[in-house]
Amino acid sequence: GAGVSQSPSNKVTEKGKDVELRCDPISGHTALYWYRQSLGQGLEFLIYFQGNSAPDKSGLPSDRFSAERTGGSVSTLTIQRTQQEDSAVYLCASSLDNTGELFFGEGSRLTVL
Amino acid sequence: KQEVTQIPAALSVPEGENLVLNCSFTDSAIYNLQWFRQDPGKGLTSLLLIQSSQREQTSGRLNASLDKSSGRSTLYIAASQPGDSATYLCAVRPRGGKLIFGQGTELSVKP
């Protein structure tokens, strides 16, 4: 596609429910990143995929968070048993390789009631 | 551990002024540095990417410089316009892998 696409753009859920957020990177980009931005805060790194290498999961805040990237393209970020502190904008980005320019999607705004 | 700091946190200027945004980082072993802008409620838009071997990059009214040895980068905006109002973020990339972001500078350009 022309840019990084994320869905849903907005998600409201109840505490304790599971949510899935989807990212469709720019075609041909081998690197994919997930970041989180809480209200008034900076960008917090979550997870990074590069080609067929093992992902860098060092930023995942708890074992309730997981992500996968199928076929080297689309990625899904899953949050289990959501908590109110999970409320944030989840941003996905991709780059041609592990050193190239990053391009971001518009984000998925998650609100946990 | 790499840390990125942006000063000032917020800046308000009248339209037409030239301005400089600052970014500093603690570890000079970076592969590149990237400047972004973020409008309220939106994702990040890439402005400029500077490789570690480069000293500056220019795009229109924007000029970004990099002094890797001193751990500093500046983003120069010429003849500022109200449409430049946004949060500006810099991010450094260590040898491959994820970018590490500063907290951003919120810029307001008054007509």
Side-chain angles (χ1 to χ4, degrees):
Chain A
V4 178
S5 179
Q6 292 189 245
S7 62
S9 55
N10 277 286
K11 176 72 176 178
V12 180
T13 191
E14 294 180 348
K15 178 181 172 181
K17 301 284 189 182
D18 297 351
V19 297
E20 286 189 349
L21 307 176
R22 176 188 167 106
C23 174
D24 201 342
I26 293 172
S27 179
H29 280 196
T30 64
L32 186 148
Y33 316 74
W34 284 98
Y35 286 83
R36 177 169 74 173
Q37 188 174 38
S38 302
L39 189 64
Q41 300 296 310
L43 270 76
E44 176 188 6
F45 167 75
L46 297 177
I47 188 169
Y48 158 63
F49 297 89
Q50 171 55 51
N52 296 321
S53 302
D56 176 356
K57 303 180 181 180
S58 60
L60 294 178
S62 77
D63 58 8
R64 296 186 296 105
F65 288 72
S66 63
E68 63 177 19
R69 188 178 185 192
T70 54
S73 182
V74 172
S75 176
T76 302
L77 177 69
T78 301
I79 309 172
Q80 296 178 310
R81 305 182 301 282
T82 52
Q83 304 294 313
Q84 288 183 331
E85 61 262 29
D86 299 334
S87 296
V89 177
Y90 290 81
L91 292 162
C92 177
S94 70
S95 61
L96 190 60
D97 53 32
N98 68 344
T99 62
E101 186 175 7
L102 255 71
F103 296 91
F104 278 83
E106 290 294 312
S108 292
R109 180 176 298 277
L110 174 66
T111 303
V112 183
L113 301 177
Chain B
K1 178 187 173 188
Q2 178 71 270
E3 293 183 358
V4 182
T5 304
Q6 291 188 246
I7 294 173
L11 181 63
S12 181
V13 300
E15 181 177 6
E17 270 204 9
N18 302 325
L19 58 100
V20 174
L21 306 181
N22 296 292
C23 172
S24 62
F25 46 96
T26 54
D27 188 343
S28 62
I30 64 167
Y31 196 89
N32 56 39
L33 181 147
Q34 195 167 349
W35 282 93
F36 298 86
R37 72 173 275 168
Q38 185 175 31
D39 294 284
K42 300 290 188 180
L44 277 68
T45 300
S46 178
L47 297 174
L48 290 162
L49 172 71
I50 310 178
Q51 302 294 345
S52 63
S53 59
Q54 297 176 317
R55 298 286 289 182
E56 65 179 313
Q57 281 283 350
T58 298
S59 176
R61 293 182 295 108
L62 305 180
N63 177 278
S65 69
L66 174 64
D67 184 343
K68 201 173 74 163
S69 61
S70 67
R72 290 189 291 188
S73 177
T74 62
L75 180 66
Y76 174 83
I77 303 176
S80 58
Q81 303 170 358
D84 295 330
S85 298
T87 296
Y88 289 80
L89 296 130
C90 75
V92 299
R93 191 196 286 269
R95 296 278 166 183
K98 62 185 182 278
L99 264 66
I100 300 169
F101 283 83
Q103 293 290 316
T105 294
E106 186 176 354
L107 173 65
S108 176
V109 181
K110 304 294 187 184

